[in-house]
Amino acid sequence: MKNNFILIDKVSNEICDKLTNFFHANKEVLGCKGVLDTGYSEGKKSLDIPIHPNNDNEPFAQYKSELQLCLNKYNKIYPETNDMDRYQLIENYNIQHYEPGEGFKGWHAERTNYISSKRVLVFMTYLTDTKNAGTEFKYQKLKTDCKKGSTVIWPSEWTHLHRGIISNKHPKTIITGWWSFLAP
């Protein structure tokens, strides 16, 4: 296995369906235009529903439980990340929906300015099976497929520049967020 600091794991299809159903049931009320941490939407086109990190209602408690199992595997591979007292889920995370042709087309990292400076690790779970879609990592020369349940964890740094692989025929839905350093 190439040591690229990217873990690809899996959460259950059942939780993916619950999260997708939540999105579709609430997109008219809770959905907002996807923006970047700078407040702008340039380079990204999506409909997002932000989820508060302390929201333990279903299906979010179950998702966070399954996500924790993925993080535990990441920590076993990279034990230097094992001290979760130093960082936690403290920002809103997002369910993001992309219609055909939409996505985050530009290369980007998840820690690029003061607002995002505390981010340590990124997580993303594909909630749909979407042909010809996924994520491309520039320096790792890696493409992940948009397969329902596939969960990817990676460092938030510039070393892991990535962009969406855009399907022009099918919609794509993901849930994504960050584990961040706690304030002192």
Side-chain angles (χ1 to χ4, degrees):
M1 177 173 86
K2 187 176 178 182
N3 191 7
N4 59 18
F5 299 96
I6 297 172
L7 173 76
I8 302 171
D9 202 9
K10 178 113 170 83
V11 301
S12 70
N13 285 349
E14 175 188 357
I15 191 60
C16 293
D17 291 341
K18 288 179 182 179
L19 291 164
T20 302
N21 291 340
F22 175 88
F23 176 84
H24 289 294
N26 293 284
K27 66 183 178 182
E28 300 299 325
V29 176
L30 301 175
C32 57
K33 182 178 181 180
V35 296
L36 308 178
D37 56 24
T38 58
Y40 299 102
S41 61
E42 296 172 21
K44 176 185 176 191
K45 187 164 185 185
S46 64
L47 182 64
D48 296 1
I49 294 181
I51 309 300
H52 192 277
N54 295 331
N55 184 339
D56 286 329
N57 296 322
E58 291 304 334
F60 307 109
Q62 184 181 356
Y63 175 67
K64 289 191 296 186
S65 178
E66 291 191 30
L67 185 62
Q68 182 64 47
L69 296 175
C70 297
L71 180 61
N72 292 346
K73 289 180 185 177
Y74 191 92
N75 290 337
K76 283 183 182 178
I77 298 168
Y78 307 108
E80 297 80 6
T81 65
N82 209 9
D83 187 3
M84 286 307 291
D85 291 336
R86 294 183 300 137
Y87 48 93
Q88 295 179 3
L89 184 65
I90 59 175
E91 285 183 71
N92 284 348
Y93 55 104
N94 298 297
I95 300 175
Q96 299 177 338
H97 178 79
Y98 305 97
E99 287 296 323
E102 295 180 346
F104 202 149
K105 299 176 181 182
W107 292 110
H108 63 284
E110 301 296 325
R111 183 160 70 175
T112 58
N113 59 37
Y114 181 75
I115 293 169
S116 62
S117 65
K118 295 187 181 293
R119 294 175 182 171
V120 178
L121 294 173
V122 185
F123 63 87
M124 176 182 59
T125 300
Y126 297 109
L127 300 179
T128 55
D129 284 317
T130 305
K131 291 182 181 182
N132 302 316
T135 305
E136 178 181 9
F137 290 87
K138 184 175 185 176
Y139 297 118
Q140 290 72 25
K141 307 288 187 220
L142 175 70
K143 293 180 180 180
T144 60
D145 293 327
C146 184
K147 297 285 290 175
K148 184 192 292 187
S150 182
T151 299
V152 187
I153 298 174
W154 71 91
S156 59
E157 287 296 331
W158 61 269
T159 55
H160 286 73
L161 289 176
H162 58 285
R163 65 181 174 188
I165 300 170
I166 312 302
S167 171
N168 290 315
K169 295 182 178 181
H170 308 286
K172 170 181 162 182
T173 307
I174 66 170
I175 188 167
T176 187
W178 313 270
W179 287 288
S180 300
F181 285 115
L182 293 172

